[in-house]
């Protein structure tokens, strides 16, 4: 007898997520850590509004998102500079690693909780068809390890490669920072676009990407949910390729500049997997220019990519649509079509 799809399905591919409703005595350490962190995409005891595809979609201004990143990236730099100015001392590299590691954790925690509040207020894309996938019962530990690895490896890499103990935040190259932040996401997306696209198009490489596509309606905690090979490139490989590209182009890319660039990317990665029913583009000083050429990315673009699956996909970029536009792989939007955007209902992202 021919096996049915049900019997053929690998149980490790299940996206069933019920663990948050279990008796807590059944929880293991990863469940408790995720619960304690309080970074779920929704609260189980609160309603999520559901909209039809034709309902107007609120608009989030570019400045509102840039302001959020600038404030949350700037506060740790200001505290570090005050310490240096008052005491005359410098952070040892080990101290700097832990300081900026926890600063990045606070950044992501604040963002995840803000995204959750927006979800409860404005709902999610495709919400009339499917709710957001939660962290799967089978993958709680995997999801936690992925998040922790991303949070640990990137600051460690940045400290190891660029930190100079004698340079305080005031040494940040102010002449270059706007250029570096603007180009970092675009250049990173070039490398990500092709690495991402060949994993879809080449039979032998899809196996390294398929786990990430088990979720058709992702939430931010599934941003790095993938097999180890993809996790390596997402967390370290693509950022390193971007860093060296920018250095070859003559940009200074010191520690503080690279740290800020990576926070911009981190913000976009989480928001891009949020599925929020908002018309919002990843913060970048050049979004206005990309928009002229219909090359800015919005939340729905990557959300539609997840619903597509394997061959002949689209919207491979995760920071912009520049390379999708150049190489002809953009797909039509559904809820974020121009006529459906409520520019009169421009909303912000609360800073505090």
């Amino acid at each position: 007898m021919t096996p049915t799809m049900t019997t053929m399905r690998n149980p490790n591919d299940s996206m069933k997520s019920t663990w948050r409703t279990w008796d807590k005595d059944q929880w293991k350490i990863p469940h408790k850590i995720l619960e304690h962190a309080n970074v779920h995409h929704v609260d189980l005891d609160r309603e999520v509004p559901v909209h039809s595809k034709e309902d107007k979609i609120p608009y989030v201004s570019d400045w509102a998102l840039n302001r959020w990143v600038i404030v949350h990236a700037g506060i740790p730099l200001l505290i570090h500079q005050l310490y240096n100015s008052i005491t005359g001392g410098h952070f040892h590299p080990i101290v700097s690693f832990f300081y900026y590691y926890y600063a990045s954790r606070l950044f992501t925690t604040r963002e995840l909780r803000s995204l959750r509040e927006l979800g409860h207020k404005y709902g999610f894309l495709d919400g009339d068809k499917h709710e957001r996938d939660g962290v799967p019962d089978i993958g709680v530990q995997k999801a936690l390890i992925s998040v922790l690895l991303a949070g640990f490896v990137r600051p460690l890499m940045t400290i190891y490669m660029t930190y100079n103990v004698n340079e305080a935040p005031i040494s940040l190259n102010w002449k270059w920072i706007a250029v570096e932040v603007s180009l970092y996401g675009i250049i990173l997306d070039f490398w990500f676009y092709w690495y991402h696209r060949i994993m879809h198009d080449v039979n032998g490489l899809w196996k390294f990407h398929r786990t990430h596509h088990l979720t058709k309606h992702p939430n931010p905690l599934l941003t790095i949910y993938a097999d180890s090979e993809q996790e390596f490139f997402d967390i370290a490989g693509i950022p390193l390729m971007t860093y060296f590209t920018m250095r070859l182009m003559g940009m200074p890319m010191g520690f503080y500049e690279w740290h800020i660039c990576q926070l911009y990317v981190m913000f976009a990665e989480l928001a891009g997997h949020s599925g929020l029913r908002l018309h919002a583009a990843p913060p970048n000083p050049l979004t206005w220019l990309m928009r002229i050429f219909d090359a800015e990315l919005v939340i729905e673009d990557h959300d539609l990519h997840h619903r597509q699956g394997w061959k002949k996909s689209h919207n491979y970029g995760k920071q912009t649509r520049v390379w999708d536009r150049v190489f002809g792989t953009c797909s039509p939007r559904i809820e974020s079509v121009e006529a459906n955007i409520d520019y009169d209902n421009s909303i912000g992202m609360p800073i505090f």
Side-chain angles (χ1 to χ4, degrees):
M1 184 174 70
T2 303
T4 65
M5 287 299 292
T6 302
T7 58
M8 291 174 64
R9 185 176 178 85
N10 186 336
N12 290 327
D13 289 350
S14 172
M15 289 304 296
K16 179 182 177 183
S17 181
T18 61
W19 65 271
R20 293 176 67 192
T21 65
W22 297 352
D23 188 307
K24 293 185 179 181
D25 291 339
Q26 296 178 267
W27 285 2
K28 296 180 180 179
I29 291 176
H31 302 87
K32 294 177 181 178
I33 292 175
L34 279 181
E35 184 69 15
H36 178 73
N38 187 25
V39 289
H40 299 298
H41 66 292
V42 293
D43 292 322
L44 295 181
D45 59 350
R46 297 169 64 191
E47 291 187 4
V48 174
V50 175
H51 297 273
S52 71
K53 299 291 191 294
E54 295 76 24
D55 286 350
K56 288 286 187 179
I57 185 168
Y59 169 72
V60 183
S61 71
D62 299 337
W63 168 239
L65 300 182
N66 278 285
R67 179 183 60 192
W68 196 98
V69 176
I70 290 168
V71 169
H72 286 83
I75 290 174
L77 294 176
L78 178 61
I79 294 172
H80 184 175
Q81 182 59 48
L82 286 173
Y83 170 85
N84 176 262
S85 300
I86 293 170
T87 68
H90 296 277
F91 283 0
H92 185 276
I94 295 176
V95 173
S96 281
F97 164 70
F98 283 104
Y99 179 77
Y100 285 100
Y101 163 70
Y102 280 106
S104 298
R105 278 190 56 182
L106 286 171
F107 180 97
T108 55
T109 298
R110 284 284 304 151
E111 181 184 356
L112 289 168
R113 292 175 182 174
S114 296
L115 294 175
R116 178 175 63 211
E117 291 306 309
L118 291 171
H120 279 293
K121 187 170 184 179
Y122 298 103
F124 297 99
L125 294 160
D126 206 33
D128 55 339
K129 300 293 185 183
H130 199 288
E131 63 183 12
R132 288 285 115 183
D133 292 331
V135 174
D137 298 340
I138 198 72
V140 174
Q141 178 175 303
K142 179 177 181 56
L144 176 63
I145 291 174
S146 298
V147 170
L148 292 177
L149 273 176
F152 183 86
V153 170
R154 285 178 180 174
L156 182 63
M157 178 177 69
T158 312
I159 290 283
Y160 179 77
M161 294 186 61
T162 60
Y163 185 69
N164 184 334
V165 71
N166 295 314
E167 293 180 349
I170 197 69
S171 68
L172 188 151
N173 196 314
W174 298 101
K175 294 180 180 178
W176 276 101
I177 185 61
V179 175
E180 290 172 320
V181 167
S182 298
L183 293 182
Y184 189 82
I186 296 171
I187 294 171
L188 181 141
D189 227 34
F190 173 81
W191 295 115
F192 180 82
Y193 175 91
W194 282 111
Y195 140 78
H196 189 188
R197 183 171 174 177
I198 64 172
M199 284 199 296
H200 276 268
D201 289 350
V202 177
N203 292 349
L205 296 179
W206 170 249
K207 64 183 179 181
F208 300 121
H209 190 49
R210 62 177 295 278
T211 297
H212 186 64
H213 268 273
L214 293 175
T215 172
K216 303 301 180 187
H217 296 81
N219 80 74
L221 288 178
L222 300 175
T223 298
I224 309 288
Y225 189 79
D227 291 324
S228 300
E229 294 83 359
Q230 177 176 333
E231 287 179 347
F232 166 76
F233 276 97
D234 282 353
I235 294 170
I238 299 299
L240 283 172
M241 292 166 72
T242 307
Y243 169 78
F244 286 119
T245 301
M246 295 185 72
R247 287 300 305 269
L248 285 171
M249 292 171 66
M251 286 173 248
M253 288 301 289
F255 169 76
Y256 301 106
E257 295 101 303
W258 196 14
H259 171 70
I260 294 171
C261 287
Q262 293 204 74
L263 290 182
Y264 264 86
V265 166
M266 191 184 307
F267 182 95
E269 289 174 340
L270 296 175
H273 284 86
S274 69
L276 287 173
R277 196 174 186 278
L278 298 172
H279 188 77
N284 185 304
L286 290 181
T287 299
W288 65 272
L289 180 59
M290 290 184 271
R291 187 172 288 115
I292 292 173
F293 299 96
D294 194 21
E296 89 288 6
L297 188 82
V298 297
I299 293 174
E300 187 176 29
D301 294 322
H302 195 66
D303 211 57
L304 290 170
H305 172 80
H306 267 272
R307 290 179 227 165
Q308 176 69 21
W310 185 14
K311 289 281 191 176
K312 303 299 180 186
S313 192
H314 50 243
N315 297 351
Y316 295 105
K318 200 160 61 174
Q319 301 290 321
T320 74
R321 280 207 304 181
V322 168
W323 307 112
D324 282 292
R325 184 61 62 197
V326 169
F327 298 111
T329 50
C330 291
S331 72
R333 293 165 181 167
I334 299 172
E335 295 177 69
S336 282
V337 292
E338 187 67 22
N340 216 29
I341 303 168
D342 188 0
Y343 289 108
D344 295 329
N345 183 22
S346 179
I347 66 170
M349 186 167 178
I351 294 178
F352 301 109

